[in-house]
Amino acid sequence: MAKKYTELLKEKCSQGSYEKLEQLKNPDLFNFIGKYVELCAPQSIFVRTDSSKDIEYIRNRAKELGEERELLIEGHTVHFDGYFDQARDKENTKFLVPGDISLGPGINSLNREEGLKEIRELLRNAMQGKELYILFLSLGPVDSDFSIYAVQLTDSAYVAHSEDILYRPAYEVFRREGPRIKFFKYVHSAGELENNVSKNVDKRRIYIDFRDNIVYSVNTQYGGNTIGLKKLSLRLAIRKADGEGWLAEHMFVMGVYGPDNRRKTYFTGAFPSFCGKTSTCMVKGESILGDDIAYLRKREGKVFSVNVERGIFGIIKNVNAKDDPLIWKALTTPGEIIFSNVLVNGGVPFWQGDGRVTPEEGINFSGKWFKNKTDEKGKPIPCSHPNARYTLPLKSLKNSDPELENPRGVEVKGIIYGGRDSDTWPPVFESFNWAHGVITIASSLESETTAATLGREGVRKFNPMANLDFLSISIGKYIQNHLEFIKDIEKPPVIFGVNYFLKDKSGNYLTGMQDKRVWLKWMELRVHNEIGAIKTPIGLFPPYEEVKKLFKKVLHKDYSQEDYFKQFTLRIPENLAKIERIVKIYKEKVPDAPEILFKILGEQKKKLEEARIKYGDYVVPALFLREKF
Ligand code: SPV
Ligand code: MN
């Protein structure tokens, strides 16, 4: 072992932690830990193995330190992040790029040397007086061709506790593999605390050094900025996948049952935040394997996927007994759950849209809260933050998929993309083929801003594959990787688009919350070629009769022709405007956009223009039955 840090680590390690490190027989790892212990100067170090005793220790520390407070129901705790630390900080999340590399426009980056200097200064002595937790974890199931191992250093027991719920433990893998193991590294400090929240959020920084596979995060507690294995690792994984020919995606993984539940077909799906991703994979009647990040790999001419995680860090807003019965049940039953940034009154958590009467006062992310409370700027403070969340293990859900820990993953037969779109896409449609889906659906994904994000509402944001925030390679290269991914695949997954946010001219939503259950069944049957479709200029639409039958079967509802016309009428002007917007973005902002992107979008434009001449601006799908595209 490296002599340099031996004394330092011996002095700081408590409860057998030094021996736990020694057993790993990994000088690089030892040096890495030593280096950051020296820099961050924690008071003590706790090394977490995979034992239940160690896991319990961290859970208890979170409560002792006040980072979490117990709620009435057993196993439930609440955590608060600071008032200004409630979401991912895009502006201060940067890739550290060595002088001669460019990641292309739209990707936030900083000179590596400069960034390292800054972050080291911010981390210097940042853990003073605090305990450092060291965790050994796995992205994806352990001992699989998907697994990526990781070490997390954090001075937050809440972050360590969250990681235990969300990721598989891998201390034993590190011990078995010794110096052979390759791993991602995360260094997090919440920095100086005031009332248990990060004080210096103006100095919040999340810097990604992909050269050394290290991510640094400081002066923040919000999970999306601090939980190394979540969005910080997705950024590193995208680069690793790029070099190795697989895909790291912002996707759920779910099983959809075929007729009479005789088969289960796996889908992955990418949606920007706040667009129904978690509520899709959690629908009643189907099974959830993951809700946020998936890796996709090819094996034996097929595409397989795993959930990188084993838990959910989900948005709690609008979760209620009626619309989300399964998650509601989990959230109101004893079991391990961390609620974050909700309102607490009498040991009970409340949140916006929970279908209950909101108490007039309580504790929330602003401290003591009361009805009509405003902040310093006079802005009303809601009872709970719109980005308030729950963290729980997938296995607490009744519909969690039994293949979660299968090291082979599950075979993916369909991929779904969806955004918040008030006027362009129909509720569900299928692409003509892989390249058409990658270009016109995935790479053309847009989402309208909501009240939950800063800035004006209803502005369309371009978000290819819902992964833009995490791209660590250029957009053009990323799209090219998708196009090439299925090169040696006999029957590639079928790509679909969905839209739960379509509105009529008066601004009313045209579809119901539960309708996605019908769209999923149509997609499942399409993958197996067992249900009809109508070819339109933008893709394949479900015919009325088929949707009607499915509505009856799945939701026991009569589905009217009028609803179908409103939902599935092809809106030609809006689709043409979308193509124009997307082409403009790729021409102006993506210098390495693949040529085929312009070709495919150009062909689609031509088909739409021809249809407009023949049928007018708004066309019911049945009219296309006589067309050949
Ligand atoms: C998202 O915003 O896409 C999330 C939550 O899944 S975060 O961890 O903040 O990324
Ligand atoms: Mn996400």
Side-chain angles (χ1 to χ4, degrees):
M1 286 292 157
K3 283 270 174 307
K4 191 173 166 200
Y5 298 117
T6 309
E7 286 315 310
L8 176 70
L9 292 178
K10 267 190 184 158
E11 177 203 321
K12 303 261 180 188
C13 278
S14 60
Q15 309 186 46
S17 285
Y18 186 79
E19 290 69 35
K20 293 179 197 165
L21 280 185
E22 232 180 1
Q23 281 185 30
L24 300 178
K25 297 193 175 53
N26 188 335
D28 285 347
L29 174 62
F30 195 86
N31 279 338
F32 163 71
I33 293 170
K35 182 172 168 181
Y36 288 96
V37 167
E38 189 173 54
L39 180 70
C40 305
Q43 187 177 340
S44 61
I45 300 171
F46 178 75
V47 172
R48 197 204 76 156
T49 67
D50 305 346
S51 78
S52 45
K53 189 169 144 249
D54 285 4
I55 292 165
E56 197 53 40
Y57 176 80
I58 286 180
R59 276 190 208 131
N60 287 336
R61 287 298 285 159
K63 286 187 271 189
E64 280 162 23
L65 293 165
E67 283 195 78
E68 291 174 35
R69 302 175 206 181
E70 270 180 16
L71 296 171
L72 270 190
I73 297 182
E74 196 191 323
H76 294 194
T77 57
V78 62
H79 162 82
F80 292 110
D81 299 303
Y83 188 74
F84 297 104
D85 193 22
Q86 293 285 322
R88 271 188 279 120
D89 181 352
K90 292 189 200 181
E91 209 173 304
N92 288 306
T93 301
K94 294 181 185 167
F95 291 98
L96 303 181
V97 292
D100 50 346
I101 294 184
S102 164
L103 298 179
I107 300 180
N108 208 358
S109 55
L110 178 71
N111 174 278
R112 183 169 180 272
E113 289 313 312
E114 211 179 293
L116 286 177
K117 207 166 142 226
E118 183 190 355
I119 203 85
R120 283 200 187 121
E121 279 323 302
L122 291 172
L123 282 169
R124 190 176 304 282
N125 299 331
M127 299 183 184
Q128 242 169 17
K130 296 200 253 178
E131 183 169 38
L132 165 66
Y133 307 96
I134 303 180
L135 287 79
F136 302 89
L137 301 156
S138 174
L139 293 151
V142 296
D143 292 331
S144 139
D145 51 355
F146 287 100
S147 331
I148 299 176
Y149 297 103
V151 174
Q152 171 85 54
L153 273 51
T154 177
D155 61 4
S156 161
Y158 156 72
V159 169
H161 181 196
S162 302
E163 284 193 316
D164 176 58
I165 298 176
L166 294 170
Y167 306 97
R168 289 102 172 165
Y171 175 83
E172 287 307 322
V173 181
F174 275 80
R175 201 155 75 119
R176 187 187 70 207
E177 296 297 315
R180 287 187 301 272
I181 199 159
K182 296 212 171 11
F183 51 94
F184 288 172
K185 310 174 185 84
Y186 305 97
V187 181
H188 165 251
S189 171
E192 199 182 330
L193 300 176
E194 191 172 71
N195 298 328
N196 254 323
V197 301
S198 296
K199 185 177 167 195
N200 303 311
V201 280
D202 56 322
K203 297 205 184 82
R204 176 172 52 202
R205 300 288 182 272
I206 298 105
Y207 284 177
I208 300 132
D209 179 9
F210 54 75
R211 209 200 71 180
D212 288 351
N213 280 323
I214 304 184
V215 185
Y216 306 91
S217 161
V218 66
N219 293 319
T220 173
Q221 288 163 309
Y222 170 70
N225 295 325
T226 58
I227 299 173
L229 281 82
K230 202 167 190 53
K231 294 309 184 348
L232 313 188
S233 84
L234 178 55
R235 295 172 173 102
L236 294 178
I238 288 172
R239 250 188 119 77
K240 186 168 162 68
D242 172 55
E244 298 173 356
W246 51 278
L247 300 175
E249 298 299 313
H250 190 204
M251 283 179 172
F252 68 60
V253 187
M254 74 181 294
V256 181
Y257 290 95
D260 306 319
N261 291 355
R262 271 184 284 113
R263 74 174 169 233
K264 184 156 51 169
T265 307
Y266 286 98
F267 285 78
T268 60
F271 297 60
S273 313
F274 300 100
C275 291
K277 186 163 151 228
T278 302
S279 66
T280 302
C281 55
M282 220 182 279
V283 291
K284 201 170 146 202
E286 317 296 1
S287 77
I288 175 172
L289 201 138
D291 88 314
D292 199 30
I293 307 170
Y295 293 163
L296 278 72
R297 275 181 179 269
K298 296 176 284 186
R299 206 186 298 124
E300 301 140 19
K302 293 174 177 158
V303 175
F304 288 85
S305 180
V306 291
N307 179 8
V308 167
E309 311 181 285
R310 64 169 185 175
I312 301 184
F313 177 56
I315 295 172
I316 205 161
K317 185 178 169 185
N318 293 336
V319 171
N320 59 63
K322 184 169 146 271
D323 298 325
D324 310 273
L326 293 163
I327 187 66
W328 178 264
K329 174 106 183 95
L331 293 179
T332 48
T333 316
E336 192 174 16
I337 304 178
I338 310 173
F339 291 84
S340 53
N341 306 316
V342 292
L343 173 72
V344 179
N345 177 299
V348 180
F350 293 86
W351 55 90
Q352 296 182 57
D354 63 12
R356 294 172 294 185
V357 178
T358 307
E360 309 237 318
E361 57 177 35
I363 305 288
N364 79 355
F365 66 109
S366 71
K368 217 172 154 26
W369 180 85
F370 44 88
K371 208 175 153 183
N372 301 326
K373 183 176 179 185
T374 53
D375 70 8
E376 281 163 21
K377 290 190 175 143
K379 203 176 132 211
I381 301 176
C383 68
S384 70
H385 193 274
N387 195 26
R389 294 193 174 242
Y390 58 86
T391 306
L392 54 68
L394 266 162
K395 62 177 184 335
S396 337
L397 294 174
K398 259 174 61 191
N399 58 334
S400 74
D401 195 278
E403 301 297 324
L404 177 66
E405 296 303 334
N406 187 342
R408 286 178 53 77
V410 294
E411 191 189 341
V412 180
K413 297 250 173 85
I415 303 182
I416 305 169
Y417 292 94
R420 193 174 282 267
D421 165 13
S422 57
D423 61 7
T424 309
W425 280 356
V428 63
F429 67 113
E430 178 186 333
S431 59
F432 297 127
N433 53 52
W434 179 262
H436 179 255
V438 167
I439 301 303
T440 68
I441 298 181
S443 309
S444 301
L445 199 63
E446 295 175 290
S447 198
E448 289 157 19
T449 50
T450 64
T453 49
L454 297 176
R456 221 155 49 85
E457 257 183 78
V459 180
R460 276 180 239 261
K461 288 261 195 265
F462 163 70
N463 195 347
M465 285 76 164
N467 217 356
L468 184 66
D469 286 356
F470 315 110
L471 288 191
S472 48
I473 57 173
S474 72
I475 301 174
K477 181 79 196 316
Y478 176 68
I479 293 174
Q480 191 61 38
N481 290 348
H482 274 255
L483 290 167
E484 286 171 17
F485 181 64
I486 49 96
K487 235 180 6 207
D488 34 14
I489 301 294
E490 208 180 302
K491 199 169 170 286
V494 184
I495 297 179
F496 296 92
V498 296
N499 179 15
Y500 307 148
F501 302 92
L502 193 65
K503 289 180 181 171
D504 62 16
K505 289 264 178 290
S506 331
N508 303 310
Y509 285 113
L510 286 174
T511 51
M513 290 286 263
Q514 298 296 322
D515 295 4
K516 50 175 89 71
R517 292 175 55 196
V518 171
W519 317 140
L520 285 167
K521 292 297 193 203
W522 182 74
M523 290 187 269
E524 200 277 339
L525 291 163
R526 282 301 302 162
V527 161
H528 296 280
N529 237 327
E530 291 175 7
I531 196 164
I534 302 173
K535 247 181 173 178
T536 81
I538 71 162
L540 300 150
F541 285 22
Y544 170 65
E545 288 303 328
E546 306 284 18
V547 185
K548 185 179 153 80
K549 271 189 251 165
L550 287 176
F551 260 90
K552 194 81 200 162
K553 208 164 166 180
V554 181
L555 300 180
H556 313 291
K557 264 170 112 169
D558 291 320
Y559 179 72
S560 71
Q561 189 127 24
E562 196 191 336
D563 275 348
Y564 178 77
F565 285 159
K566 282 187 190 159
Q567 294 168 357
F568 286 95
T569 286
L570 177 67
R571 301 170 175 216
I572 294 181
E574 286 83 353
N575 275 284
L576 282 170
K578 177 178 176 80
I579 294 178
E580 200 170 308
R581 280 194 306 274
I582 298 295
V583 167
K584 187 166 185 292
I585 292 170
Y586 280 105
K587 281 222 165 100
E588 291 176 2
K589 305 234 169 83
V590 186
D592 62 345
E595 253 327 293
I596 193 173
L597 179 140
F598 299 107
K599 184 169 170 277
I600 291 178
L601 288 172
E603 284 165 7
Q604 185 134 314
K605 180 174 173 220
K606 199 160 152 261
K607 283 183 202 162
L608 282 163
E609 283 169 344
E610 284 166 7
R612 181 161 65 175
I613 292 169
K614 244 174 156 168
Y615 304 111
D617 282 347
Y618 297 95
V619 191
V620 293
L623 284 178
F624 292 113
L625 279 171
R626 13 183 163 115
E627 296 283 334
K628 288 256 171 300
F629 289 105

